[in-house]
């Protein structure tokens, strides 16, 4: 009888220990699930967020006949990966309220695939650089924007990646704000006359 009681007590202890282990496992899984959901939510918000275009130098000067072309840096803000930096596209056109249109400016503006010998866009470490030379004096106002297709992280397990796709959608394209800038093309060929002063 005593032997049976001992076995019964041991059985109860084992059951209690097993319940403790199961409870701890369930609590751990609940914490992991919460962390996973927060991570997916944060990632989804990042990929859904807008991108912005910043042009640090809003007004530039250019001397006609200068050996160096004028360069205007276009900085995208809100990219999430190196892949997006590689895929970012830039678009520039003459602003509707520009008083002048530069010679040889292509109709519809320029992007990375529609360039000419006078106006060009290059990419440098995720930034765009507008490179131009002018043959006529004038103040030229341009408007620019950038656009990117969001690239989801490849490091995620397939099931999490599928959930993220459901959250943000596939082939999600983000377009930035419009940002304008001005280039003043001037001729500095003449010598400035200075008043002669005679000191006695």
């Amino acid at each position: 009888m005593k032997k049976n009681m001992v076995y019964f007590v041991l059985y109860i202890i084992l059951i209690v220990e097993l319940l403790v282990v199961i409870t701890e496992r369930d609590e751990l899984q609940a914490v992991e699930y919460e962390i996973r959901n927060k991570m997916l939510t944060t990632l989804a918000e990042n990929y859904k967020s807008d991108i912005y275009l910043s042009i640090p130098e809003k007004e530039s000067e250019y001397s006609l006949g200068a050996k160096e072309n004028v360069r205007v840096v276009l900085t995208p803000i809100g990219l999430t990966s190196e892949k997006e930096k590689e895929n970012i596209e830039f678009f520039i056109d003459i602003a509707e309220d520009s008083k002048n249109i530069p010679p040889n400016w292509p109709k519809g503006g320029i992007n990375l695939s529609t360039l000419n010998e006078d106006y060009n866009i290059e990419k440098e470490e995720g930034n765009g650089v507008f490179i131009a030379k002018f043959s006529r004096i004038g103040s030229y106002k341009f408007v620019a924007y950038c656009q990117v297709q969001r690239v989801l992280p490849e490091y995620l397990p397939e099931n999490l990646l599928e959930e993220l796709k459901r959250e943000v959608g596939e082939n999600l394209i983000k377009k930035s704000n419009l940002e304008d800038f001005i280039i003043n093309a001037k001729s500095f060929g003449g010598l400035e006359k200075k008043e002669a002063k005679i000191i006695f």
Side-chain angles (χ1 to χ4, degrees), residues 47 79-89 123 126 147-154:
Y47 284 97
L79 302 182
T80 60
S81 66
E82 290 299 320
K83 197 72 175 175
E84 289 186 359
K85 286 184 179 180
E86 293 174 13
N87 295 342
I88 189 77
E89 298 178 73
K123 286 206 290 189
Q147 182 173 289
V148 71
Q149 180 173 318
R150 289 298 196 193
V151 179
L152 300 181
E154 298 176 352

Side-chain angles (χ1 to χ4, degrees), residues 114-138:
T114 57
L115 312 170
N116 63 34
E117 60 182 9
D118 294 327
Y119 312 104
N120 191 5
I121 302 175
E122 293 182 358
K123 286 206 290 189
E124 294 181 1
E125 299 179 354
N127 293 326
V129 182
F130 176 52
I131 303 170
K133 62 180 179 181
F134 298 89
S135 58
R136 189 167 65 205
I137 293 172

